[in-house]
Amino acid sequence: MKESWRWFGPLDTISLGEVAQTGARGVVTSLHDIPYGEVWTVEAIRERQAQIEGNASLGLTWNVVESLPVHEDIKRGRGDLSRLFANYRQSLVNLASCGIHTVCYNFMPVLDWLRTHHDTPVRGGGRALYFDEATMAGFELGILGRESAAEDYAPDAIERGLEWVAQATDADKDALLDRLMAGLPGAYDRFTVNGLRDVLTTYAGFTNTDLRASFSRFLAEIVPVAEELGIRMCVHPDDPPRPVFGLPRVVSTAGDVDWILAQDDSLANGVTFCSGALGARADNDILKMARRFAPRTHFLHLRNVAKAPDGSFGEAAHLEGDTDMVALLRIWLGEEARRRDEGRVDWDLPFRPDHGHELGPDVGRAAHPGYPFVGRLRGLAELRGVLAALEAPRHHRP
């Protein structure tokens, strides 16, 4: 399996030298400064490649794009989308011409991943990401003023959330909004409360059926070109895998993934298997889903979560939490062996340790939330150790 590391380009407080120190050799990144919907030019792609690969002593390569963003109008299915689809296809052509063939993307409306807390204490003074149902209910009802959110939360979560809002200062509320916006990568503007209300009105009455129709059109427009180019498109699951802000979610369950893969049976239409995002939903059987979707999985996000009965969840250490990571890695090694036996050139699955705890010198370093250095290094080391142990019998047979 190809050890990889997410790097946020020049915006990242973690240097490429430090990335190389982790032992990872693949770099997962994006061109965050290019507005959504615009073409990624060959020049821009090569400039980023030169940053990553220019120092040969580091031994790094840009092996996965995360993400090539899907413009919001494509998700809404609104207006003349021909230019946006053409630009997306041209970006894929340009990436392939530069030797990059794995492209992660998501189809979540408005926001990327979402957490209510970034500094939940863990053993010894570290800090972790957390999604708290009550805080989210309080934000939606007491700050955003989305009255229909009362249908989305349990009465106890609503009560606790509104109690928090009642005693929170303006600074507390602003800090919560900042945390909710942190999943938007790169240099893009974050929403104010009024701005978030405005953008949500553009999805008023928009259902899962509507979003699936937009997604189906996207796949029809993009997958044939990706297949010609040898590109593996891999959609990332919703995070959290449930509706938020009344927005539809269509990449949250096994049934959702079945539907996506059925739209086009090409290997170019695949999945980013995120064990943390999918694992945050109580009715998702992670090991069963991994076995089921392994043949169409092209990229792995490996992390663990610990779920609470009310739907809240926190980022656990990679070998802790609710998912049996050893069993999961055994599935991916088996899939790699199957691909090798078939003679496939893409058998070596890229993976990255996803979301880590802030540990030791991470605290105060101002890394992108969820992407500290030491915490992810711990996760990668743990995953590497499990993989070495699982592969040992194969390498040491008499």
Side-chain angles (χ1 to χ4, degrees):
M1 294 172 68
K2 178 81 169 183
E3 295 183 5
S4 305
W5 187 273
R6 189 168 190 183
W7 182 64
F8 291 93
L11 299 170
D12 207 322
T13 61
I14 296 168
S15 71
L16 288 170
E18 288 173 306
V19 174
Q21 290 173 38
T22 71
R25 292 295 176 261
V27 172
V28 178
T29 194
S30 181
L31 301 182
H32 296 297
D33 55 323
I34 297 179
Y36 290 12
E38 298 302 313
V39 173
W40 286 18
T41 65
V42 169
E43 293 74 21
I45 296 166
R46 285 180 174 161
E47 180 181 357
R48 180 56 52 83
Q49 278 185 311
Q51 291 172 336
I52 295 167
E53 302 173 13
N55 184 346
S57 69
L58 299 182
L60 300 175
T61 59
W62 183 5
N63 65 328
V64 179
V65 170
E66 186 181 351
S67 297
L68 182 57
V70 179
H71 194 277
E72 213 63 29
D73 283 348
I74 292 176
K75 298 172 190 175
R76 295 187 191 100
R78 173 176 297 175
D80 180 8
L81 304 179
S82 57
R83 184 187 74 86
L84 291 175
F85 284 128
N87 286 355
Y88 203 99
R89 288 190 292 263
Q90 187 60 53
S91 295
L92 293 180
V93 169
N94 294 344
L95 284 165
S97 73
C98 295
I100 302 170
H101 291 88
T102 303
V103 176
C104 175
Y105 68 102
N106 75 68
F107 220 78
M108 289 180 272
V110 182
L111 296 172
D112 207 313
W113 62 267
L114 200 68
R115 298 292 185 276
T116 59
H117 297 79
H118 295 169
D119 57 358
T120 299
V122 297
R123 183 175 62 248
R127 308 193 305 188
L129 302 178
Y130 196 84
F131 180 89
D132 182 68
E133 279 281 299
T135 304
M136 196 67 201
F139 179 84
E140 290 217 52
L141 287 162
I143 298 175
L144 188 63
R146 191 175 74 85
E147 294 182 3
S148 60
E151 302 171 4
D152 299 335
Y153 297 92
D156 177 66
I158 293 173
E159 181 180 357
R160 289 184 288 120
L162 291 179
E163 286 177 358
W164 179 86
V165 172
Q167 58 82 37
T169 65
D170 288 342
D172 293 333
K173 296 173 185 178
D174 289 342
L176 174 57
L177 179 63
D178 287 343
R179 294 193 297 270
L180 294 174
M181 295 298 106
L184 291 168
Y188 294 101
D189 292 336
R190 272 49 174 161
F191 296 114
T192 63
V193 170
N194 286 333
L196 182 56
R197 288 192 191 109
D198 290 342
V199 74
L200 291 178
T201 63
T202 68
Y203 278 95
F206 203 77
T207 67
N208 276 33
T209 299
D210 297 323
L211 188 59
R212 275 191 170 187
S214 297
F215 200 173
S216 182
R217 180 177 177 186
F218 171 80
L219 293 173
E221 294 273 0
I222 300 304
V223 170
V225 171
E227 184 171 27
E228 289 179 11
L229 296 168
I231 282 179
R232 300 297 194 237
M233 300 291 296
C234 38
V235 65
H236 188 283
D238 304 322
D239 188 5
R242 45 150 290 186
V244 289
F245 300 134
L247 296 167
R249 298 285 215 181
V250 294
V251 198
S252 295
T253 67
D256 290 337
V257 178
D258 277 331
W259 179 87
I260 293 163
L261 299 183
Q263 300 309 294
D264 193 316
D265 62 4
S266 167
L267 284 176
N269 177 31
V271 177
T272 296
F273 196 96
C274 180
S275 57
L278 294 170
R281 186 173 174 122
D283 57 351
N284 279 343
D285 184 327
I286 295 300
L287 299 183
K288 184 176 180 180
M289 292 176 74
R291 295 186 192 97
R292 184 168 173 174
F293 302 125
R296 300 282 285 278
T297 294
H298 305 312
F299 181 35
L300 302 171
H301 288 183
L302 298 176
R303 61 182 173 90
N304 223 323
V305 296
K307 297 184 289 294
D310 70 348
S312 303
F313 62 91
E315 305 284 357
H318 283 70
L319 300 187
E320 300 174 12
D322 296 336
T323 294
D324 183 342
M325 192 62 69
V326 175
L328 186 62
L329 290 173
R330 186 177 286 114
I331 291 170
W332 298 125
L333 288 174
E335 174 61 17
E336 283 194 330
R338 186 189 69 81
R339 295 183 187 190
R340 278 195 304 268
D341 290 345
E342 288 184 355
R344 282 174 51 173
V345 297
D346 63 340
W347 64 267
D348 195 7
L349 277 168
F351 78 93
R352 65 173 180 84
D354 193 16
H355 292 181
H357 295 168
E358 289 186 345
L359 303 176
D362 287 331
V363 177
R365 186 172 178 179
H368 195 84
Y371 293 91
F373 181 68
V374 178
R376 281 189 293 163
L377 176 59
R378 172 187 171 179
L380 179 59
E382 291 176 339
L383 296 169
R384 181 184 296 139
V386 172
L387 288 168
L390 291 175
E391 291 184 303
R394 181 171 60 86
H395 291 309
H396 298 93
R397 289 189 185 116

